[in-house]
Amino acid sequence: MTELSALDRAARQHEQRWGRAEIFSRAPGRVNLIGEHTDYNDGFVLPMALPFDTAIAASRASKGSKTEIFSEGFGHAVLAPAPTGIESRHWAVYLHGVHDLLKAEGVDPGPWKATIATDIPAGAGLSSSAALEVAVASTILCLARAQRSPAETARLCQRVDNEIVGIPSGLMDQMISASAIAGHASLIDCRSLRTRPYPLPAKSAVAIMDTNTRRQLVDSEYSDRRAACVRAAAALGVESLRDARLEDLDRLPTELGTERRRAHHVIAENQRTLDAAQAMSDGDPETIGALMNSSHESLRDDYGVSGPALDRIVEIARRSPGCFGARLTGGGFAGCAVALVQADKAAEFRAGVEERYRNQCGLEAEIWLCEPAAGASVTTADA
């Protein structure tokens, strides 16, 4: 028997708990092929949506009742009235954040009930939180018969991270979850929010490699990295590092050595991302792989966001048959890496990397071979 999808599980559990759902929404996780820590510097990113969804089944509730949400993996939450001082690590903070920000914009669907299920591994760097935010926003907008563009939805969900959860993240995760095109990665200009789809090179596949190590982004040095970028941009007299060139770094004073290394990564990574998009257009997986390799080395050496397990699995992947290139993906420190591989050697690649990683690290890696998926969608029971 085929395992039920997240959407099917949400619908089934909702019907058992509250009756047949009226609205079904889904939003995917993402993997970023290249362009890491560039989004909050107004730069370029090249992510793709994954065939792993966070899904919501929802129905309107009677007037005067509470808005209640049940999550398959995390339990029960009540959204109205919103509690004060909710902890940023509590899963429901994302629900409250989207609900409250939309309500402040005049989007009020009244009370509703919902059930959430997800196939996205939490904490792996595959944007499970962004998918939750986008799925909740899509649900509320549909219930309230309101509309927002994918970019507007992404902006609102980013505000949840920045203003409520306390993560000074960029816009990439929410934007690709809201707007991805099936079969394509998307080059996103994080300043203008213009997107352009690019198909993967023929006969290539994307391998996502979960090291089964985890990090809490709020507790990481993420904020320090962003602050260093802001200081570097200010010292260079530019709005953001998007506007700087590598030769500009010679103008930074010696006491800003750390800032110089962080800025070097961001400036070079923006160019690598543009070059990778061109290589996709040219159908050139070898060039994309080489750029991915350079990206990982820059993230490790200049940006300082790799980790032992990530470095090891990337090294193993690069030495495996059929691998064009590999790098860490997401915020870093732990979680997942990504590789571009020959499609006809993908199964051999997966088995070999899993075995060698187990033998060298004593951990079990989980590797998924994925095609680019579509962005968020909403359907109604009568559609």
Side-chain angles (χ1 to χ4, degrees):
M1 181 179 293
T2 302
E3 185 178 348
L4 290 176
S5 69
L7 194 57
D8 288 337
R9 297 198 311 275
R12 177 175 293 187
Q13 293 169 23
H14 189 88
E15 186 164 5
Q16 293 171 349
R17 183 170 290 104
W18 286 306
R20 190 165 181 261
E22 302 172 46
I23 290 171
F24 307 91
S25 68
R26 50 158 291 280
R30 68 94 188 95
V31 65
N32 190 24
L33 300 178
I34 196 166
E36 216 67 75
H37 291 277
T38 51
D39 57 345
Y40 54 80
N41 288 288
D42 290 342
F44 299 94
V45 293
L46 190 62
M48 71 179 215
L50 296 174
F52 307 146
D53 289 332
T54 289
I56 300 177
S59 53
R60 293 176 178 85
S62 58
K63 187 176 181 180
S65 61
K66 296 178 179 179
T67 292
E68 296 181 76
I69 297 179
F70 181 85
S71 169
E72 177 183 66
F74 296 95
H76 179 260
V78 177
L79 294 194
T84 58
I86 187 168
E87 292 185 9
S88 63
R89 296 183 189 180
H90 193 285
W91 71 276
V93 71
Y94 298 100
L95 313 182
H96 284 287
V98 174
H99 175 270
D100 293 349
L101 289 179
L102 280 173
K103 192 170 183 178
E105 293 183 0
V107 179
D108 187 358
W112 48 289
K113 312 287 187 185
T115 304
I116 301 175
T118 187
D119 295 325
I120 306 171
L126 302 180
S127 296
S128 57
S129 59
L132 176 60
E133 292 164 350
V134 172
V136 172
S138 301
T139 301
I140 294 174
L141 289 167
C142 187
L143 286 166
R145 297 181 176 88
Q147 292 185 338
R148 294 288 189 278
S149 69
E152 289 170 334
T153 298
R155 285 283 192 203
L156 181 133
C157 293
Q158 182 197 21
R159 288 180 57 202
V160 175
D161 278 1
N162 295 171
E163 300 172 17
I164 297 171
V165 181
I167 302 173
S169 61
L171 192 63
M172 173 181 63
D173 297 352
Q174 294 88 352
M175 191 66 188
I176 191 65
S177 185
S179 67
I181 296 175
H184 296 73
S186 293
L187 177 67
I188 303 174
D189 181 335
C190 295
R191 172 172 283 169
S192 69
L193 298 190
R194 285 192 295 267
T195 65
R196 181 175 176 182
Y198 287 87
L200 294 181
K203 299 180 181 179
S204 67
V206 171
I208 302 167
M209 305 175 289
D210 186 355
T211 64
N212 268 313
T213 57
R214 293 293 182 263
R215 52 92 180 102
Q216 286 290 337
L217 202 56
V218 174
D219 294 336
S220 76
E221 298 179 23
Y222 188 102
S223 298
D224 292 342
R225 300 303 187 276
R226 182 161 188 169
C229 292
V230 170
R231 291 193 298 271
L236 293 172
V238 294
E239 181 180 347
S240 71
L241 291 178
R242 156 74 173 269
D243 305 307
R245 300 168 300 175
L246 286 177
E247 53 265 34
D248 294 333
L249 298 180
D250 292 335
R251 296 192 285 110
L252 289 177
T254 56
E255 62 267 22
L256 294 182
T258 297
E259 286 77 4
R260 179 182 177 130
R261 291 196 304 275
R262 307 303 186 232
H264 187 279
H265 164 74
V266 172
I267 297 167
E269 186 81 346
N270 274 326
Q271 188 60 54
R272 281 190 289 266
T273 304
L274 294 173
D275 292 344
Q278 182 61 52
M280 277 196 177
S281 183
D282 296 339
D284 181 0
E286 289 85 2
T287 295
I288 298 169
L291 292 164
M292 292 171 72
N293 290 341
S294 295
S295 173
H296 181 82
E297 290 156 11
S298 178
L299 286 161
R300 181 193 64 204
D301 300 336
D302 282 339
Y303 222 67
V305 293
S306 191
L310 287 169
D311 288 339
R312 182 58 57 87
I313 206 165
V314 165
E315 180 183 0
I316 291 170
R318 289 181 185 176
R319 295 180 178 179
S320 299
C323 182
F324 295 113
R327 59 183 288 278
L328 71 84
T329 188
F333 302 102
C336 287
V338 60
L340 186 68
V341 301
Q342 292 177 228
D344 60 357
K345 293 186 177 180
E348 178 186 357
F349 170 88
R350 175 168 58 189
V353 172
E354 287 175 344
E355 179 182 5
R356 285 189 287 277
Y357 182 75
R358 182 188 310 115
N359 292 339
Q360 294 182 29
C361 296
L363 295 170
E364 294 290 336
E366 191 163 8
I367 300 178
W368 301 282
L369 302 172
C370 296
E371 294 289 330
S377 61
V378 182
T379 57
T380 58
D382 55 2

